[in-house]
Amino acid sequence: MATPLNSLLEEVSREHFPHAPATPEEIEEFEQRVGWRLDPDLRAFYLHCNGAELIKRLPDSPYRILPLSKIVRARVAIFGKKNDDDAHGPASIWAICDVQDGNYLLVDVARQDNGRYPVIDGWHEAWPDPKYCDQIATSFSDFLERALRDGQAYWLNE
């Protein structure tokens, strides 16, 4: 059975490195900027903390969940602002977590499962080839639970 998101957020606060919470106004500004709404998991996370480093502080953190101000399309995160076009990946996929070395965890805001965005492996060397950019979690809370439980390369333990 999945751990409730509130319990996961409490663990982030106790044992990891959360940023100050986002305000409802910051979330509204973010949603206006990007043109999509946070799903319930992401909204709860950002109201709890506007980004976080998991396991270790930067520069050694294997997971830097980005603050709202740093969330951009995956193609921009991976290739830079000048490559914000469909040749460099779908417009619906956004980088939410920096996993170092140019790799990101991504959400596809064009797809939902039970009202949650799936989390995708944004391996920069293969982006945007879907053969190498698998879905690694059904939702942000699924990702968070497994990252907190299994550490840096949790999706390799499947």
mmCIF file of all heavy atoms in Angstrom, residues 54-105:
data_model
loop_
_atom_site.group_PDB
_atom_site.id
_atom_site.type_symbol
_atom_site.label_atom_id
_atom_site.label_comp_id
_atom_site.label_asym_id
_atom_site.label_seq_id
_atom_site.Cartn_x
_atom_site.Cartn_y
_atom_site.Cartn_z
ATOM 1 N N LEU A 54 16.936 16.096 -2.084
ATOM 2 C CA LEU A 54 16.729 14.842 -1.367
ATOM 3 C C LEU A 54 18.066 14.150 -1.115
ATOM 4 O O LEU A 54 18.968 14.202 -1.944
ATOM 5 C CB LEU A 54 15.802 13.917 -2.157
ATOM 6 C CG LEU A 54 14.421 14.464 -2.499
ATOM 7 C CD1 LEU A 54 13.599 13.415 -3.246
ATOM 8 C CD2 LEU A 54 13.678 14.948 -1.267
ATOM 9 N N ILE A 55 18.164 13.506 0.006
ATOM 10 C CA ILE A 55 19.271 12.655 0.438
ATOM 11 C C ILE A 55 20.496 13.466 0.874
ATOM 12 O O ILE A 55 20.966 13.318 1.989
ATOM 13 C CB ILE A 55 19.627 11.574 -0.600
ATOM 14 C CG1 ILE A 55 18.363 10.743 -0.903
ATOM 15 C CG2 ILE A 55 20.785 10.711 -0.133
ATOM 16 C CD1 ILE A 55 18.470 9.829 -2.080
ATOM 17 N N LYS A 56 21.011 14.347 0.000
ATOM 18 C CA LYS A 56 22.153 15.200 0.327
ATOM 19 C C LYS A 56 21.886 16.605 -0.194
ATOM 20 O O LYS A 56 21.068 16.815 -1.080
ATOM 21 C CB LYS A 56 23.427 14.674 -0.339
ATOM 22 C CG LYS A 56 23.851 13.302 0.109
ATOM 23 C CD LYS A 56 25.097 12.876 -0.625
ATOM 24 C CE LYS A 56 25.514 11.471 -0.232
ATOM 25 N NZ LYS A 56 26.688 11.029 -0.975
ATOM 26 N N ARG A 57 22.621 17.563 0.343
ATOM 27 C CA ARG A 57 22.559 18.930 -0.167
ATOM 28 C C ARG A 57 23.345 19.030 -1.473
ATOM 29 O O ARG A 57 24.226 18.210 -1.752
ATOM 30 C CB ARG A 57 23.166 19.909 0.848
ATOM 31 C CG ARG A 57 22.303 20.121 2.059
ATOM 32 C CD ARG A 57 22.754 21.383 2.788
ATOM 33 N NE ARG A 57 21.923 21.645 3.932
ATOM 34 C CZ ARG A 57 20.768 22.301 3.881
ATOM 35 N NH1 ARG A 57 20.305 22.748 2.749
ATOM 36 N NH2 ARG A 57 20.077 22.506 4.986
ATOM 37 N N LEU A 58 23.025 20.052 -2.264
ATOM 38 C CA LEU A 58 23.805 20.328 -3.468
ATOM 39 C C LEU A 58 25.238 20.637 -3.066
ATOM 40 O O LEU A 58 25.455 21.179 -1.992
ATOM 41 C CB LEU A 58 23.203 21.517 -4.221
ATOM 42 C CG LEU A 58 21.880 21.248 -4.933
ATOM 43 C CD1 LEU A 58 21.345 22.524 -5.541
ATOM 44 C CD2 LEU A 58 22.039 20.191 -6.016
ATOM 45 N N PRO A 59 26.206 20.290 -3.824
ATOM 46 C CA PRO A 59 26.110 19.779 -5.192
ATOM 47 C C PRO A 59 25.989 18.255 -5.292
ATOM 48 O O PRO A 59 26.004 17.709 -6.381
ATOM 49 C CB PRO A 59 27.418 20.249 -5.812
ATOM 50 C CG PRO A 59 28.391 20.179 -4.670
ATOM 51 C CD PRO A 59 27.596 20.573 -3.454
ATOM 52 N N ASP A 60 25.884 17.569 -4.154
ATOM 53 C CA ASP A 60 25.886 16.109 -4.157
ATOM 54 C C ASP A 60 24.497 15.470 -4.137
ATOM 55 O O ASP A 60 24.389 14.256 -4.105
ATOM 56 C CB ASP A 60 26.683 15.600 -2.956
ATOM 57 C CG ASP A 60 28.129 16.053 -3.015
ATOM 58 O OD1 ASP A 60 28.707 16.045 -4.115
ATOM 59 O OD2 ASP A 60 28.670 16.439 -1.962
ATOM 60 N N SER A 61 23.448 16.258 -4.155
ATOM 61 C CA SER A 61 22.091 15.724 -4.089
ATOM 62 C C SER A 61 21.759 14.957 -5.368
ATOM 63 O O SER A 61 21.898 15.488 -6.463
ATOM 64 C CB SER A 61 21.081 16.854 -3.902
ATOM 65 O OG SER A 61 19.775 16.340 -3.951
ATOM 66 N N PRO A 62 21.314 13.711 -5.238
ATOM 67 C CA PRO A 62 20.915 12.985 -6.437
ATOM 68 C C PRO A 62 19.580 13.469 -7.007
ATOM 69 O O PRO A 62 19.278 13.196 -8.167
ATOM 70 C CB PRO A 62 20.819 11.536 -5.964
ATOM 71 C CG PRO A 62 20.539 11.639 -4.506
ATOM 72 C CD PRO A 62 21.224 12.891 -4.037
ATOM 73 N N TYR A 63 18.786 14.177 -6.182
ATOM 74 C CA TYR A 63 17.493 14.686 -6.631
ATOM 75 C C TYR A 63 17.347 16.129 -6.173
ATOM 76 O O TYR A 63 17.235 16.388 -4.980
ATOM 77 C CB TYR A 63 16.329 13.881 -6.036
ATOM 78 C CG TYR A 63 16.337 12.422 -6.401
ATOM 79 C CD1 TYR A 63 16.630 11.464 -5.444
ATOM 80 C CD2 TYR A 63 16.033 12.010 -7.689
ATOM 81 C CE1 TYR A 63 16.629 10.122 -5.767
ATOM 82 C CE2 TYR A 63 16.039 10.669 -8.012
ATOM 83 C CZ TYR A 63 16.339 9.731 -7.059
ATOM 84 O OH TYR A 63 16.333 8.407 -7.381
ATOM 85 N N ARG A 64 17.315 17.030 -7.111
ATOM 86 C CA ARG A 64 17.005 18.426 -6.813
ATOM 87 C C ARG A 64 15.643 18.707 -7.439
ATOM 88 O O ARG A 64 15.537 18.943 -8.647
ATOM 89 C CB ARG A 64 18.049 19.369 -7.389
ATOM 90 C CG ARG A 64 17.687 20.822 -7.160
ATOM 91 C CD ARG A 64 18.736 21.754 -7.762
ATOM 92 N NE ARG A 64 18.277 23.121 -7.641
ATOM 93 C CZ ARG A 64 18.211 23.973 -8.644
ATOM 94 N NH1 ARG A 64 18.612 23.616 -9.860
ATOM 95 N NH2 ARG A 64 17.778 25.190 -8.454
ATOM 96 N N ILE A 65 14.605 18.614 -6.609
ATOM 97 C CA ILE A 65 13.269 18.917 -7.117
ATOM 98 C C ILE A 65 13.225 20.420 -7.307
ATOM 99 O O ILE A 65 13.461 21.195 -6.378
ATOM 100 C CB ILE A 65 12.182 18.422 -6.152
ATOM 101 C CG1 ILE A 65 12.330 16.911 -5.937
ATOM 102 C CG2 ILE A 65 10.793 18.761 -6.716
ATOM 103 C CD1 ILE A 65 11.445 16.343 -4.848
ATOM 104 N N LEU A 66 12.957 20.834 -8.523
ATOM 105 C CA LEU A 66 13.095 22.233 -8.906
ATOM 106 C C LEU A 66 12.025 23.119 -8.274
ATOM 107 O O LEU A 66 10.862 22.715 -8.181
ATOM 108 C CB LEU A 66 13.019 22.362 -10.427
ATOM 109 C CG LEU A 66 14.098 21.596 -11.199
ATOM 110 C CD1 LEU A 66 13.804 21.647 -12.691
ATOM 111 C CD2 LEU A 66 15.480 22.153 -10.891
ATOM 112 N N PRO A 67 12.404 24.341 -7.891
ATOM 113 C CA PRO A 67 11.390 25.305 -7.482
ATOM 114 C C PRO A 67 10.560 25.699 -8.705
ATOM 115 O O PRO A 67 10.997 25.540 -9.857
ATOM 116 C CB PRO A 67 12.205 26.484 -6.945
ATOM 117 C CG PRO A 67 13.550 26.336 -7.535
ATOM 118 C CD PRO A 67 13.756 24.872 -7.818
ATOM 119 N N LEU A 68 9.386 26.205 -8.464
ATOM 120 C CA LEU A 68 8.487 26.583 -9.568
ATOM 121 C C LEU A 68 9.173 27.488 -10.586
ATOM 122 O O LEU A 68 8.959 27.346 -11.789
ATOM 123 C CB LEU A 68 7.239 27.270 -9.012
ATOM 124 C CG LEU A 68 6.307 26.387 -8.178
ATOM 125 C CD1 LEU A 68 5.227 27.238 -7.512
ATOM 126 C CD2 LEU A 68 5.694 25.294 -9.028
ATOM 127 N N SER A 69 10.005 28.388 -10.130
ATOM 128 C CA SER A 69 10.664 29.348 -11.026
ATOM 129 C C SER A 69 11.653 28.694 -11.979
ATOM 130 O O SER A 69 12.029 29.289 -12.990
ATOM 131 C CB SER A 69 11.372 30.432 -10.217
ATOM 132 O OG SER A 69 12.413 29.859 -9.446
ATOM 133 N N LYS A 70 12.074 27.469 -11.683
ATOM 134 C CA LYS A 70 13.069 26.775 -12.513
ATOM 135 C C LYS A 70 12.465 25.687 -13.397
ATOM 136 O O LYS A 70 13.176 25.063 -14.184
ATOM 137 C CB LYS A 70 14.146 26.143 -11.626
ATOM 138 C CG LYS A 70 14.906 27.129 -10.772
ATOM 139 C CD LYS A 70 15.807 27.985 -11.591
ATOM 140 C CE LYS A 70 16.649 28.867 -10.670
ATOM 141 N NZ LYS A 70 17.388 29.857 -11.418
ATOM 142 N N ILE A 71 11.164 25.437 -13.283
ATOM 143 C CA ILE A 71 10.524 24.418 -14.119
ATOM 144 C C ILE A 71 10.365 24.957 -15.531
ATOM 145 O O ILE A 71 9.775 26.022 -15.741
ATOM 146 C CB ILE A 71 9.162 23.994 -13.524
ATOM 147 C CG1 ILE A 71 9.376 23.284 -12.187
ATOM 148 C CG2 ILE A 71 8.403 23.093 -14.504
ATOM 149 C CD1 ILE A 71 8.091 22.930 -11.467
ATOM 150 N N VAL A 72 10.920 24.212 -16.494
ATOM 151 C CA VAL A 72 10.849 24.579 -17.912
ATOM 152 C C VAL A 72 10.542 23.318 -18.716
ATOM 153 O O VAL A 72 10.616 22.201 -18.198
ATOM 154 C CB VAL A 72 12.172 25.211 -18.406
ATOM 155 C CG1 VAL A 72 12.437 26.550 -17.718
ATOM 156 C CG2 VAL A 72 13.352 24.268 -18.219
ATOM 157 N N ARG A 73 10.228 23.526 -19.997
ATOM 158 C CA ARG A 73 10.033 22.366 -20.874
ATOM 159 C C ARG A 73 11.289 21.504 -20.850
ATOM 160 O O ARG A 73 12.409 22.007 -20.736
ATOM 161 C CB ARG A 73 9.752 22.811 -22.303
ATOM 162 C CG ARG A 73 8.356 23.319 -22.512
ATOM 163 C CD ARG A 73 8.092 23.514 -24.013
ATOM 164 N NE ARG A 73 6.731 23.924 -24.192
ATOM 165 C CZ ARG A 73 6.343 25.195 -24.317
ATOM 166 N NH1 ARG A 73 7.220 26.172 -24.295
ATOM 167 N NH2 ARG A 73 5.066 25.480 -24.478
ATOM 168 N N ALA A 74 11.107 20.207 -20.999
ATOM 169 C CA ALA A 74 12.237 19.279 -20.989
ATOM 170 C C ALA A 74 13.247 19.653 -22.066
ATOM 171 O O ALA A 74 14.455 19.632 -21.822
ATOM 172 C CB ALA A 74 11.738 17.851 -21.188
ATOM 173 N N ARG A 75 12.765 20.008 -23.230
ATOM 174 C CA ARG A 75 13.681 20.335 -24.331
ATOM 175 C C ARG A 75 14.526 21.561 -24.026
ATOM 176 O O ARG A 75 15.656 21.669 -24.485
ATOM 177 C CB ARG A 75 12.894 20.483 -25.633
ATOM 178 C CG ARG A 75 11.859 21.586 -25.616
ATOM 179 C CD ARG A 75 10.879 21.437 -26.755
ATOM 180 N NE ARG A 75 9.995 22.577 -26.912
ATOM 181 C CZ ARG A 75 8.914 22.550 -27.664
ATOM 182 N NH1 ARG A 75 8.589 21.431 -28.320
ATOM 183 N NH2 ARG A 75 8.166 23.613 -27.785
ATOM 184 N N VAL A 76 14.013 22.493 -23.229
ATOM 185 C CA VAL A 76 14.780 23.666 -22.818
ATOM 186 C C VAL A 76 15.784 23.265 -21.740
ATOM 187 O O VAL A 76 16.954 23.672 -21.781
ATOM 188 C CB VAL A 76 13.855 24.792 -22.323
ATOM 189 C CG1 VAL A 76 14.632 25.927 -21.692
ATOM 190 C CG2 VAL A 76 12.987 25.303 -23.473
ATOM 191 N N ALA A 77 15.351 22.459 -20.776
ATOM 192 C CA ALA A 77 16.257 22.014 -19.716
ATOM 193 C C ALA A 77 17.424 21.221 -20.300
ATOM 194 O O ALA A 77 18.571 21.397 -19.886
ATOM 195 C CB ALA A 77 15.498 21.169 -18.702
ATOM 196 N N ILE A 78 17.149 20.386 -21.277
ATOM 197 C CA ILE A 78 18.171 19.496 -21.825
ATOM 198 C C ILE A 78 19.018 20.169 -22.899
ATOM 199 O O ILE A 78 20.239 20.016 -22.915
ATOM 200 C CB ILE A 78 17.516 18.196 -22.348
ATOM 201 C CG1 ILE A 78 16.929 17.423 -21.153
ATOM 202 C CG2 ILE A 78 18.512 17.338 -23.123
ATOM 203 C CD1 ILE A 78 16.030 16.264 -21.516
ATOM 204 N N PHE A 79 18.378 20.966 -23.782
ATOM 205 C CA PHE A 79 19.101 21.538 -24.921
ATOM 206 C C PHE A 79 19.297 23.052 -24.865
ATOM 207 O O PHE A 79 19.984 23.609 -25.702
ATOM 208 C CB PHE A 79 18.379 21.199 -26.233
ATOM 209 C CG PHE A 79 18.363 19.737 -26.560
ATOM 210 C CD1 PHE A 79 17.173 19.066 -26.699
ATOM 211 C CD2 PHE A 79 19.535 19.029 -26.752
ATOM 212 C CE1 PHE A 79 17.139 17.718 -27.018
ATOM 213 C CE2 PHE A 79 19.519 17.683 -27.070
ATOM 214 C CZ PHE A 79 18.316 17.029 -27.207
ATOM 215 N N GLY A 80 18.666 23.742 -23.932
ATOM 216 C CA GLY A 80 18.805 25.192 -23.837
ATOM 217 C C GLY A 80 17.661 25.930 -24.511
ATOM 218 O O GLY A 80 16.923 25.376 -25.328
ATOM 219 N N LYS A 81 17.512 27.211 -24.149
ATOM 220 C CA LYS A 81 16.382 28.031 -24.607
ATOM 221 C C LYS A 81 16.285 28.136 -26.120
ATOM 222 O O LYS A 81 15.193 28.210 -26.662
ATOM 223 C CB LYS A 81 16.479 29.436 -24.018
ATOM 224 C CG LYS A 81 16.153 29.509 -22.569
ATOM 225 C CD LYS A 81 16.213 30.946 -22.079
ATOM 226 C CE LYS A 81 15.955 30.991 -20.593
ATOM 227 N NZ LYS A 81 15.979 32.353 -20.073
ATOM 228 N N LYS A 82 17.399 28.165 -26.809
ATOM 229 C CA LYS A 82 17.356 28.338 -28.264
ATOM 230 C C LYS A 82 16.756 27.133 -28.986
ATOM 231 O O LYS A 82 16.448 27.197 -30.166
ATOM 232 C CB LYS A 82 18.744 28.666 -28.803
ATOM 233 C CG LYS A 82 19.721 27.530 -28.663
ATOM 234 C CD LYS A 82 21.095 27.904 -29.172
ATOM 235 C CE LYS A 82 21.957 26.670 -29.063
ATOM 236 N NZ LYS A 82 23.315 26.851 -28.908
ATOM 237 N N ASN A 83 16.578 26.019 -28.269
ATOM 238 C CA ASN A 83 16.045 24.797 -28.875
ATOM 239 C C ASN A 83 14.628 24.482 -28.399
ATOM 240 O O ASN A 83 14.234 23.322 -28.345
ATOM 241 C CB ASN A 83 16.981 23.633 -28.569
ATOM 242 C CG ASN A 83 18.331 23.828 -29.214
ATOM 243 O OD1 ASN A 83 18.432 23.996 -30.422
ATOM 244 N ND2 ASN A 83 19.375 23.842 -28.409
ATOM 245 N N ASP A 84 13.856 25.516 -28.106
ATOM 246 C CA ASP A 84 12.473 25.325 -27.646
ATOM 247 C C ASP A 84 11.547 25.169 -28.847
ATOM 248 O O ASP A 84 10.751 26.039 -29.169
ATOM 249 C CB ASP A 84 12.036 26.496 -26.760
ATOM 250 C CG ASP A 84 10.733 26.223 -26.031
ATOM 251 O OD1 ASP A 84 10.217 25.091 -26.112
ATOM 252 O OD2 ASP A 84 10.222 27.157 -25.384
ATOM 253 N N ASP A 85 11.704 24.025 -29.537
ATOM 254 C CA ASP A 85 10.860 23.720 -30.690
ATOM 255 C C ASP A 85 10.607 22.213 -30.727
ATOM 256 O O ASP A 85 11.286 21.442 -30.055
ATOM 257 C CB ASP A 85 11.506 24.208 -31.991
ATOM 258 C CG ASP A 85 12.881 23.625 -32.220
ATOM 259 O OD1 ASP A 85 13.026 22.378 -32.229
ATOM 260 O OD2 ASP A 85 13.840 24.406 -32.390
ATOM 261 N N ASP A 86 9.619 21.817 -31.518
ATOM 262 C CA ASP A 86 9.186 20.421 -31.539
ATOM 263 C C ASP A 86 10.260 19.450 -32.025
ATOM 264 O O ASP A 86 10.189 18.254 -31.719
ATOM 265 C CB ASP A 86 7.922 20.264 -32.380
ATOM 266 C CG ASP A 86 6.710 20.903 -31.719
ATOM 267 O OD1 ASP A 86 6.782 21.212 -30.506
ATOM 268 O OD2 ASP A 86 5.697 21.111 -32.408
ATOM 269 N N ALA A 87 11.261 19.926 -32.741
ATOM 270 C CA ALA A 87 12.349 19.051 -33.173
ATOM 271 C C ALA A 87 13.165 18.554 -31.977
ATOM 272 O O ALA A 87 13.865 17.547 -32.078
ATOM 273 C CB ALA A 87 13.263 19.777 -34.155
ATOM 274 N N HIS A 88 13.053 19.251 -30.846
ATOM 275 C CA HIS A 88 13.836 18.900 -29.658
ATOM 276 C C HIS A 88 12.990 18.284 -28.548
ATOM 277 O O HIS A 88 13.425 18.222 -27.399
ATOM 278 C CB HIS A 88 14.586 20.130 -29.155
ATOM 279 C CG HIS A 88 15.657 20.556 -30.099
ATOM 280 N ND1 HIS A 88 15.434 21.482 -31.093
ATOM 281 C CD2 HIS A 88 16.933 20.148 -30.227
ATOM 282 C CE1 HIS A 88 16.544 21.642 -31.790
ATOM 283 N NE2 HIS A 88 17.477 20.840 -31.286
ATOM 284 N N GLY A 89 11.773 17.837 -28.887
ATOM 285 C CA GLY A 89 10.933 17.149 -27.915
ATOM 286 C C GLY A 89 9.559 17.770 -27.806
ATOM 287 O O GLY A 89 9.343 18.914 -28.200
ATOM 288 N N PRO A 90 8.619 17.019 -27.247
ATOM 289 C CA PRO A 90 7.240 17.492 -27.131
ATOM 290 C C PRO A 90 7.121 18.690 -26.189
ATOM 291 O O PRO A 90 7.793 18.757 -25.154
ATOM 292 C CB PRO A 90 6.494 16.290 -26.558
ATOM 293 C CG PRO A 90 7.399 15.123 -26.694
ATOM 294 C CD PRO A 90 8.783 15.648 -26.774
ATOM 295 N N ALA A 91 6.231 19.596 -26.529
ATOM 296 C CA ALA A 91 5.991 20.783 -25.697
ATOM 297 C C ALA A 91 5.300 20.433 -24.388
ATOM 298 O O ALA A 91 5.339 21.214 -23.444
ATOM 299 C CB ALA A 91 5.147 21.793 -26.478
ATOM 300 N N SER A 92 4.705 19.251 -24.304
ATOM 301 C CA SER A 92 3.922 18.875 -23.118
ATOM 302 C C SER A 92 4.755 18.242 -22.006
ATOM 303 O O SER A 92 4.225 17.918 -20.950
ATOM 304 C CB SER A 92 2.816 17.897 -23.515
ATOM 305 O OG SER A 92 3.379 16.680 -23.978
ATOM 306 N N ILE A 93 6.045 18.072 -22.220
ATOM 307 C CA ILE A 93 6.876 17.407 -21.215
ATOM 308 C C ILE A 93 7.793 18.437 -20.556
ATOM 309 O O ILE A 93 8.523 19.152 -21.228
ATOM 310 C CB ILE A 93 7.654 16.226 -21.827
ATOM 311 C CG1 ILE A 93 6.655 15.224 -22.427
ATOM 312 C CG2 ILE A 93 8.540 15.575 -20.786
ATOM 313 C CD1 ILE A 93 7.280 14.000 -23.044
ATOM 314 N N TRP A 94 7.725 18.472 -19.221
ATOM 315 C CA TRP A 94 8.401 19.504 -18.423
ATOM 316 C C TRP A 94 9.356 18.882 -17.417
ATOM 317 O O TRP A 94 9.056 17.845 -16.822
ATOM 318 C CB TRP A 94 7.350 20.338 -17.688
ATOM 319 C CG TRP A 94 6.508 21.133 -18.638
ATOM 320 C CD1 TRP A 94 5.510 20.651 -19.445
ATOM 321 C CD2 TRP A 94 6.606 22.513 -18.919
ATOM 322 N NE1 TRP A 94 4.985 21.673 -20.189
ATOM 323 C CE2 TRP A 94 5.629 22.829 -19.894
ATOM 324 C CE3 TRP A 94 7.412 23.544 -18.418
ATOM 325 C CZ2 TRP A 94 5.457 24.116 -20.381
ATOM 326 C CZ3 TRP A 94 7.236 24.822 -18.900
ATOM 327 C CH2 TRP A 94 6.267 25.095 -19.882
ATOM 328 N N ALA A 95 10.495 19.527 -17.194
ATOM 329 C CA ALA A 95 11.493 19.085 -16.222
ATOM 330 C C ALA A 95 11.100 19.572 -14.837
ATOM 331 O O ALA A 95 10.921 20.769 -14.628
ATOM 332 C CB ALA A 95 12.866 19.626 -16.600
ATOM 333 N N ILE A 96 10.967 18.629 -13.892
ATOM 334 C CA ILE A 96 10.614 18.999 -12.515
ATOM 335 C C ILE A 96 11.706 18.658 -11.506
ATOM 336 O O ILE A 96 11.666 19.124 -10.372
ATOM 337 C CB ILE A 96 9.291 18.352 -12.057
ATOM 338 C CG1 ILE A 96 9.377 16.832 -12.085
ATOM 339 C CG2 ILE A 96 8.119 18.881 -12.879
ATOM 340 C CD1 ILE A 96 8.298 16.140 -11.276
ATOM 341 N N CYS A 97 12.668 17.819 -11.919
ATOM 342 C CA CYS A 97 13.685 17.377 -10.971
ATOM 343 C C CYS A 97 15.000 17.162 -11.713
ATOM 344 O O CYS A 97 15.050 16.414 -12.689
ATOM 345 C CB CYS A 97 13.228 16.084 -10.296
ATOM 346 S SG CYS A 97 14.368 15.449 -9.057
ATOM 347 N N ASP A 98 16.049 17.812 -11.235
ATOM 348 C CA ASP A 98 17.390 17.660 -11.791
ATOM 349 C C ASP A 98 18.051 16.489 -11.075
ATOM 350 O O ASP A 98 18.173 16.488 -9.855
ATOM 351 C CB ASP A 98 18.166 18.957 -11.551
ATOM 352 C CG ASP A 98 19.549 18.955 -12.164
ATOM 353 O OD1 ASP A 98 20.041 17.903 -12.602
ATOM 354 O OD2 ASP A 98 20.159 20.047 -12.196
ATOM 355 N N VAL A 99 18.447 15.476 -11.849
ATOM 356 C CA VAL A 99 19.115 14.323 -11.260
ATOM 357 C C VAL A 99 20.606 14.321 -11.607
ATOM 358 O O VAL A 99 21.253 13.282 -11.566
ATOM 359 C CB VAL A 99 18.424 12.979 -11.625
ATOM 360 C CG1 VAL A 99 17.056 12.895 -10.994
ATOM 361 C CG2 VAL A 99 18.338 12.769 -13.113
ATOM 362 N N GLN A 100 21.119 15.497 -11.925
ATOM 363 C CA GLN A 100 22.540 15.757 -12.168
ATOM 364 C C GLN A 100 22.991 15.239 -13.538
ATOM 365 O O GLN A 100 22.301 14.520 -14.210
ATOM 366 C CB GLN A 100 23.400 15.190 -11.053
ATOM 367 C CG GLN A 100 22.933 15.550 -9.647
ATOM 368 C CD GLN A 100 22.752 17.053 -9.416
ATOM 369 O OE1 GLN A 100 23.423 17.883 -10.002
ATOM 370 N NE2 GLN A 100 21.810 17.415 -8.551
ATOM 371 N N ASP A 101 24.147 15.659 -13.946
ATOM 372 C CA ASP A 101 24.765 15.252 -15.216
ATOM 373 C C ASP A 101 23.894 15.533 -16.442
ATOM 374 O O ASP A 101 23.945 14.802 -17.422
ATOM 375 C CB ASP A 101 25.132 13.765 -15.198
ATOM 376 C CG ASP A 101 26.152 13.437 -14.122
ATOM 377 O OD1 ASP A 101 26.961 14.323 -13.787
ATOM 378 O OD2 ASP A 101 26.122 12.313 -13.603
ATOM 379 N N GLY A 102 23.038 16.554 -16.379
ATOM 380 C CA GLY A 102 22.193 16.891 -17.512
ATOM 381 C C GLY A 102 20.944 16.048 -17.640
ATOM 382 O O GLY A 102 20.235 16.149 -18.638
ATOM 383 N N ASN A 103 20.667 15.188 -16.668
ATOM 384 C CA ASN A 103 19.483 14.343 -16.696
ATOM 385 C C ASN A 103 18.400 14.928 -15.796
ATOM 386 O O ASN A 103 18.700 15.583 -14.798
ATOM 387 C CB ASN A 103 19.824 12.923 -16.250
ATOM 388 C CG ASN A 103 20.820 12.266 -17.184
ATOM 389 O OD1 ASN A 103 20.742 12.402 -18.391
ATOM 390 N ND2 ASN A 103 21.777 11.567 -16.617
ATOM 391 N N TYR A 104 17.149 14.658 -16.146
ATOM 392 C CA TYR A 104 16.012 15.204 -15.417
ATOM 393 C C TYR A 104 14.926 14.159 -15.263
ATOM 394 O O TYR A 104 14.828 13.223 -16.058
ATOM 395 C CB TYR A 104 15.411 16.401 -16.183
ATOM 396 C CG TYR A 104 16.326 17.581 -16.223
ATOM 397 C CD1 TYR A 104 17.292 17.705 -17.213
ATOM 398 C CD2 TYR A 104 16.249 18.578 -15.249
ATOM 399 C CE1 TYR A 104 18.161 18.786 -17.231
ATOM 400 C CE2 TYR A 104 17.105 19.662 -15.266
ATOM 401 C CZ TYR A 104 18.056 19.751 -16.261
ATOM 402 O OH TYR A 104 18.915 20.819 -16.268
ATOM 403 N N LEU A 105 14.102 14.355 -14.256
ATOM 404 C CA LEU A 105 12.832 13.657 -14.178
ATOM 405 C C LEU A 105 11.804 14.619 -14.734
ATOM 406 O O LEU A 105 11.822 15.818 -14.436
ATOM 407 C CB LEU A 105 12.499 13.268 -12.740
ATOM 408 C CG LEU A 105 13.476 12.301 -12.089
ATOM 409 C CD1 LEU A 105 13.012 11.952 -10.687
ATOM 410 C CD2 LEU A 105 13.654 11.046 -12.922
#
